[in-house]
């Protein structure tokens, strides 16, 4: 979440196989690592950048996203241990996590 109504995600989740926005953005969340996500609202696409694989979505004003999880309080540095979370295309219906180590930065992106 960027603010109360703006969500940052990956551009590849908002486009189709031809790199065009799909126009349908259902917002879902998992309450635990082993449960299917619960979808509760839709969002509008504000902006997407395929080169950097980022997209911004606008949520309706009446959406309550209280108690968000704080994933980080500082910028990851080289050799820091990190965990990623997501729903990979071929990863099933529940959230997936992977652990790793920051090996460096390239073009402003963590490697």
């Amino acid at each position: 979440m960027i603010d109360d109504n703006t969500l940052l995600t990956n551009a590849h989740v908002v486009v189709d196989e031809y790199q065009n926005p799909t126009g349908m953005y259902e917002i879902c969340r998992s309450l635990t690592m082993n449960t299917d996500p619960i979808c509760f609202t839709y969002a509008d696409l504000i902006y997407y950048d395929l080169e950097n694989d980022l997209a911004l979505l606008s949520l309706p004003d009446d959406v309550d996203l209280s108690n968000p999880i704080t994933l980080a309080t500082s910028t990851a540095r080289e050799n820091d241990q990190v965990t990623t979370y997501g729903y990979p295309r071929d990863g099933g219906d529940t959230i997936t996590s992977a652990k790793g180590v920051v090996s460096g930065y390239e073009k402003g992106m963590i490697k």
Side-chain angles (χ1 to χ4, degrees):
M1 295 297 301
I2 301 296
D3 59 34
D4 289 344
N5 298 92
T6 310
L7 179 69
L8 176 68
T9 189
N10 296 105
H12 70 262
V13 300
V14 301
V15 297
D16 61 19
E17 65 271 17
Y18 304 107
Q19 308 300 311
N20 297 313
T22 62
M24 297 176 56
Y25 312 107
E26 193 169 25
I27 304 300
C28 311
R29 67 176 159 193
S30 294
L31 300 177
T32 70
M33 291 290 290
N34 299 316
T35 58
D36 289 348
I38 298 168
C39 300
F40 57 95
T41 192
Y42 290 88
D44 294 317
L45 182 63
I46 299 171
Y47 176 80
Y48 71 103
D49 179 338
L50 292 172
E51 184 176 337
N52 292 302
D53 195 24
L54 295 173
L56 289 174
L57 298 173
S58 175
L59 300 173
D61 289 336
D62 62 347
V63 171
D64 179 16
L65 293 177
S66 55
N67 301 320
I69 298 169
T70 300
L71 296 177
T73 57
S74 62
T75 301
R77 297 177 302 205
E78 198 168 322
N79 296 316
D80 280 353
Q81 291 192 11
V82 294
T83 304
T84 60
Y85 298 93
Y87 298 92
R89 180 172 299 156
D90 297 323
D93 292 332
T94 57
I95 195 166
T96 300
S97 67
K99 295 181 185 285
V101 175
V102 175
S103 61
Y105 285 85
E106 184 175 312
K107 298 180 185 175
M109 305 292 279
I110 296 175
K111 300 187 341 181

